[in-house]
């Protein structure tokens, strides 16, 4: 039996290298588009200067909503590109030395989105500590919403870490033992 059919290699090919980046890519591209389609809602959860007595990030809420939206769209697009490239078998056609930049699109995208997810955590904390909502129609959020959101944030960070670590490892052609 081939290593590509058994064990961890099969798991990687079937899920970590293809389906997972595609799913995460769709989530982040959709979220990034939301930053522009629902910009007011995202600005509503941006912590104002002086929040917690330590929040003095330069730039307006509009600026931070816009750049995070752009990063989500580009990072999600990179995950989609890498996942679709792998699922269509295009990644297998690469020579060892050719297209090394294409091999790095997925891990770099995952690493950037991991960092972005950590960086936007203060907005989620602000929603929890100050009762901020994404627009007037949302109403007061129950504390269970915040716990649910925190759980999803930990899940996304974990999945992005796996995709990034795994993709960097395999970008150089290493194989699982």
């Amino acid at each position: 039996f081939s290593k590509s059919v058994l064990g961890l290699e099969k798991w990687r090919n079937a899920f970590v290298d293809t389906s997972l980046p595609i799913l995460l890519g769709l989530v982040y591209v959709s979220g990034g588009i939301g930053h522009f389609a629902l910009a007011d809602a995202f600005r509503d959860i941006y912590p104002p200067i002086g929040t917690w007595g330590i929040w003095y990030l330069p730039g307006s809420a509009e600026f931070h909503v816009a750049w995070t939206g752009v990063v989500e769209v580009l990072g999600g697009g990179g995950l989609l590109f890498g996942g679709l490239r792998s699922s269509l078998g295009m990644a297998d056609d690469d020579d060892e030395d050719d297209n090394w930049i294409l091999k790095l699109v997925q891990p770099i995208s995952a690493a950037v989105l991991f960092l972005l997810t950590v960086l936007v955590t203060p907005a989620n904390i602000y929603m929890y500590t100050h009762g901020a909502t994404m627009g007037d129609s949302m109403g007061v959020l129950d504390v269970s919403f915040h716990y649910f959101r925190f759980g999803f944030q930990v899940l996304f960070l974990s999945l992005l870490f796996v995709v990034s670590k795994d993709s960097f490892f395999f970008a150089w052609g290493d194989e699982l033992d």
Side-chain angles (χ1 to χ4, degrees), residues 83-127:
L84 289 171
R85 192 168 164 267
S86 293
S87 67
L88 296 174
M90 296 167 60
D92 299 334
D93 297 338
D94 292 341
D95 293 339
E96 289 296 317
D97 296 327
D98 293 344
N99 298 323
W100 63 271
I101 292 175
L102 293 178
K103 291 179 181 180
L104 292 177
V105 169
Q106 182 172 312
I108 289 172
S109 296
V112 167
L113 288 172
F114 180 92
L115 179 62
L116 178 70
T117 303
V118 170
L119 291 175
V120 300
T121 298
N124 299 335
I125 294 170
Y126 178 72
M127 285 182 75

Side-chain angles (χ1 to χ4, degrees), residues 44-155:
D44 287 346
I45 64 167
Y46 180 80
I49 291 176
T51 302
W52 307 297
I54 59 169
W55 189 256
Y56 296 103
L57 192 64
S60 65
E62 292 81 9
F63 169 74
H64 292 291
V65 168
W67 80 260
T68 55
V70 168
V71 172
E72 284 188 14
V73 169
L74 293 176
L79 289 178
L80 281 171
F81 173 77
L84 289 171
R85 192 168 164 267
S86 293
S87 67
L88 296 174
M90 296 167 60
D92 299 334
D93 297 338
D94 292 341
D95 293 339
E96 289 296 317
D97 296 327
D98 293 344
N99 298 323
W100 63 271
I101 292 175
L102 293 178
K103 291 179 181 180
L104 292 177
V105 169
Q106 182 172 312
I108 289 172
S109 296
V112 167
L113 288 172
F114 180 92
L115 179 62
L116 178 70
T117 303
V118 170
L119 291 175
V120 300
T121 298
N124 299 335
I125 294 170
Y126 178 72
M127 285 182 75
Y128 177 69
T129 60
H130 289 76
T133 59
M134 297 181 77
D136 295 332
S137 62
M138 189 177 240
V140 177
L141 298 171
D142 187 54
V143 73
S144 62
F145 167 82
H146 298 290
Y147 295 141
F148 184 74
R149 182 176 184 153
F150 175 74
F152 263 93
Q153 192 153 358
V154 170
L155 175 67

